[in-house]
Amino acid sequence: MGFIDTIKARAKADKKTIVLPESEDRRTYEAAAQILKEDLANLIIIGSEEAVKKGSEGLDVSKATIVDPEKNEKTQAYVDKLVELRAKKGMTPEKARETILNDYTYYGVMMVKMGDADGLVSGACHSTANTLRPCLQILKTKPGTKLVSAFFLMVVPDCEYGDDGVFVFGDCGLNQNPNPEELAAIAESSAESYRMLTGNEPRVAMLSHSSKGSAKHADVDKVVEATRIAKEANPDLALDGELQLDAAIVPSVGASKAPDSKVAGKANVLIFPDLDAGNIGYKLVQRLAKAEAYGPMTQGIAAPVNDLSRGCSAEDIVGVVAITAVQCQAQ
């Protein structure tokens, strides 16, 4: 059984309700039909019945719950709650109604906030900012979380590295240039996500263009300091840096470049020094190694809300919904 099949089995064992707000995108319906066929989650699709009927033509999404914001009896409660949550930011009833009726991601996040859904998946045709802004404004961060960040769950076929080719890459979707404290927080959250999703112990590599002092630069210093902070805060976590990518995952290179490291050559969680490196890195692996790339998944938000790459396929959406459902189980 492949990794994503294991995730799907876990999702089916305790079904959660996931909102799909992008009813204007055909991929939403293709994914929904597959999710419902495999019985992975209960689905809510936000849109008018007419729009959903037209968008899903030829596909069976009859088991999904269709919520039309214009007609839903709970819309007023969502408006009232949004005004309450954002009153100090100048939110008025009129503005709240306009916001949730014209931006279905806001509407879906309000459904999660009010307990009418467990999680949300969006981003196939919206930017990461448009997907995450409502979450940060309405759901806020999870208690004890230092930083909201994003990761990709990477499943690389025929791969001898990591845990049979399964990795977490962070942060590849949200934080542009994290400082050492933020980078350490990303490492901590990514390790927790890896453990929760795979059941295996994380081995975290703090990546750089340098291994153990082989290069001198302020960028290297940042990773060294982040490693120190993360180790101090998580003494039982297998974490090390700074490591070049080959030293992190290839046993022979790790033994050569960092012989005293318990992580070098065995890492399954890769922490990139900034968003440029992370975004480029995951897309290289996805396209050249034909890896499955699920995400960007968020970590640190009070409820599971996950982003999609705008280049995603319907099958990618299916996988992200299954992962989101497993995250909901862990809440």
Side-chain angles (χ1 to χ4, degrees):
M1 181 182 289
F3 176 77
I4 200 63
D5 295 317
T6 302
I7 290 288
K8 287 180 176 181
R10 289 171 64 185
K12 290 176 68 171
D14 180 15
K15 282 205 302 180
K16 298 299 179 181
T17 298
I18 308 298
V19 183
L20 300 177
E22 294 179 307
S23 54
E24 69 272 40
D25 195 297
R26 176 69 174 181
R27 290 170 294 177
T28 295
Y29 301 106
E30 293 170 346
Q34 188 63 31
I35 292 161
L36 295 167
K37 181 180 179 182
E38 295 187 42
D39 202 28
L40 303 178
N42 301 313
L43 292 183
I44 297 173
I45 300 174
I46 302 177
S48 68
E49 289 188 13
E50 296 78 12
V52 173
K53 183 177 180 180
K54 180 179 179 181
S56 64
E57 187 174 359
L59 298 167
D60 183 7
V61 296
S62 58
K63 292 182 181 179
T65 299
I66 310 305
V67 171
D68 183 344
E70 295 281 359
K71 299 178 179 179
N72 186 20
E73 61 183 16
K74 294 188 176 182
T75 294
Q76 186 59 49
Y78 299 155
V79 170
D80 294 342
K81 187 66 174 178
L82 183 56
V83 172
E84 176 190 329
L85 293 169
R86 303 286 292 166
K88 292 182 179 178
K89 298 293 184 180
M91 183 63 72
T92 64
E94 295 75 21
K95 179 64 175 176
R97 179 171 290 275
E98 178 187 355
T99 297
I100 69 171
L101 291 184
N102 289 294
D103 188 331
Y104 287 173
T105 302
Y106 268 96
Y107 197 94
V109 171
M110 288 306 305
M111 297 188 80
V112 175
K113 179 67 176 180
M114 298 289 279
D116 295 320
D118 299 303
L120 178 144
V121 172
S122 185
C125 52
H126 291 87
S127 70
T128 293
N130 287 339
T131 297
L132 296 184
R133 186 181 302 110
C135 311
L136 298 174
Q137 290 179 354
I138 295 166
L139 299 174
K140 310 292 186 182
T141 56
K142 187 165 60 175
T145 297
K146 302 181 185 74
L147 179 75
V148 173
S149 57
F151 69 92
F152 274 82
L153 182 68
M154 306 295 295
V155 183
V156 187
D158 303 318
C159 180
E160 62 191 284
Y161 306 125
D163 286 337
D164 296 322
V166 177
F167 295 88
V168 156
F169 285 14
D171 181 333
C172 303
L174 187 55
N175 292 285
Q176 182 69 49
N177 189 18
N179 63 34
E181 291 77 12
E182 292 168 336
L183 200 57
I186 291 166
E188 181 178 344
S189 293
S190 298
E192 291 174 2
S193 293
Y194 190 89
R195 184 183 288 112
M196 184 269 292
L197 289 171
T198 70
N200 295 327
E201 282 303 304
R203 300 182 295 275
V204 184
M206 309 295 283
L207 297 182
S208 172
H209 69 275
S210 169
S211 288
K212 298 296 183 178
S214 64
K216 303 296 182 184
H217 191 275
D219 289 347
V220 178
D221 295 340
K222 180 179 84 168
V223 178
V224 171
E225 177 63 7
T227 302
R228 184 193 66 77
I229 294 168
K231 282 185 172 182
E232 190 174 280
N234 305 274
D236 296 328
L237 178 63
L239 178 147
D240 202 7
E242 85 285 14
L243 293 170
Q244 292 165 297
L245 186 280
D246 56 354
I249 66 170
V250 181
S252 60
V253 179
S256 172
K257 292 186 176 183
D260 297 326
S261 175
K262 295 180 180 179
V263 170
K266 298 175 284 190
N268 50 29
V269 177
L270 304 180
I271 305 303
F272 292 83
D274 57 41
L275 190 56
D276 282 342
N279 187 271
I280 293 166
Y282 102 77
K283 288 185 176 179
L284 272 171
V285 175
Q286 179 187 29
R287 299 301 178 181
L288 298 187
K290 296 180 170 55
E292 300 166 31
Y294 299 102
M297 316 292 294
T298 59
Q299 49 194 6
I301 295 177
V305 173
N306 285 314
D307 192 17
L308 296 160
S309 168
R310 279 174 285 178
C312 70
S313 66
E315 190 60 35
D316 293 334
I317 300 174
V318 174
V320 171
V321 167
I323 294 168
T324 305
V326 171
Q327 287 179 313
C328 291
Q329 293 170 358
Q331 283 293 101

